[in-house]
Amino acid sequence: GGRADVVVCSAAVGAGPLSEALLRTLYHAAEALLAPGGVLLPSALVVRAAPLGWLPFVGGAACAPELHGALCAGCSVQVPASSGTDLGVLGLPSEALRLELCGAARPSELPSARAEVVMERAGLLTGVAFWHEPELRAATHDRSEEHGCHGEVPLELPPHAQVRFLPRPRAVAAGDRTSILLRFEGHELQLTFPD
C-alpha cells in the first residue's frame, strides 16, 4: 500500500447535492492516498449558480401544481433539466464557490460563500439553480465557450441542479444582480437569499 501519483475520485461527479460526506471522501483521498507532488482528479469542485425565470409566470399562466407549493414557500427542490418544468435561465452560470481539494489544508469548518448572480436578460426572477462540477487542473479551455459566446444564455441546466425559489418572484432587467449565500445545512450544501 504505497501512495499513488494520480488519484481519480469518480464520486465527485454525483447525481445529487454536494454533501459533507463527499467532501470528506475527497479530502481523505488527497491526504491518505496521494503521493507528495501527485495529482488528484478532480483538483477542485466548483459550485455554479444561475438565475431562473419560471416561464408560466412570464406568460401569465397558472402555476404547475407540483411546483406551486415549493415556489410559494421559497423551498429548494431538485429539478432535472429534462423534467419539463418550464424553468428558463435568465443569466449565464457563475462560479459561486470553489473548493480546492489538493495542495490545500483541509478546512476546519465547512465552506460557505456569498456571491451574486447577474441577469443577462429581463424576466421574472423566480429562483436560482446551483450545482457542483469537478475541475481538472489540466483543463485550460475558456469556460465561456462552453456556455455559448457573446452573452448567449444556456437553455438547459445540468440534470443534478437544485433550484431554490425566492420567497416572492420579482421582475428583473438585464444587468440586475441578486445576492445568494451558500452554506452547509443538514450535511448538504444549501442556497439561501440574504436579507
Side-chain angles (χ1 to χ4, degrees), residues 124-141:
L124 193 63
L125 179 65
T126 55
V128 174
F130 65 107
W131 62 94
H132 67 280
E133 300 175 352
E135 180 177 271
L136 308 178
R137 195 58 79 209
T140 57
H141 68 282

Side-chain angles (χ1 to χ4, degrees), residues 20-81:
E20 184 179 349
L22 174 59
L23 285 182
R24 278 196 313 266
T25 299
L26 293 170
Y27 284 124
H28 172 76
E31 293 169 353
L33 304 176
L34 192 61
V39 176
L40 178 70
L41 299 174
S43 57
L45 289 181
V46 176
V47 178
R48 300 201 182 277
L52 300 177
W54 200 22
L55 300 180
F57 271 135
V58 175
C63 298
E66 65 275 10
L67 290 181
H68 184 273
L71 177 65
C72 294
C75 293
S76 182
V77 295
Q78 189 166 341
V79 181

Side-chain angles (χ1 to χ4, degrees), residues 46-164:
V46 176
V47 178
R48 300 201 182 277
L52 300 177
W54 200 22
L55 300 180
F57 271 135
V58 175
C63 298
E66 65 275 10
L67 290 181
H68 184 273
L71 177 65
C72 294
C75 293
S76 182
V77 295
Q78 189 166 341
V79 181
S82 61
S83 67
T85 57
D86 293 326
L87 290 169
V89 181
L90 296 177
L92 294 172
S94 59
E95 182 179 305
L97 176 64
R98 171 178 295 278
L99 304 163
E100 294 294 337
L101 302 171
C102 191
R106 182 190 298 223
S108 58
E109 296 181 9
L110 290 172
S112 63
R114 287 186 180 266
E116 289 185 329
V117 291
V118 180
M119 308 312 137
E120 297 286 329
R121 62 179 177 210
L124 193 63
L125 179 65
T126 55
V128 174
F130 65 107
W131 62 94
H132 67 280
E133 300 175 352
E135 180 177 271
L136 308 178
R137 195 58 79 209
T140 57
H141 68 282
D142 182 359
R143 288 200 55 87
S144 63
E145 293 176 10
E146 204 172 292
H147 298 294
C149 57
H150 306 297
E152 289 181 30
V153 178
L155 300 177
E156 291 188 353
L157 299 171
H160 62 282
Q162 288 185 281
V163 176
R164 179 69 177 198

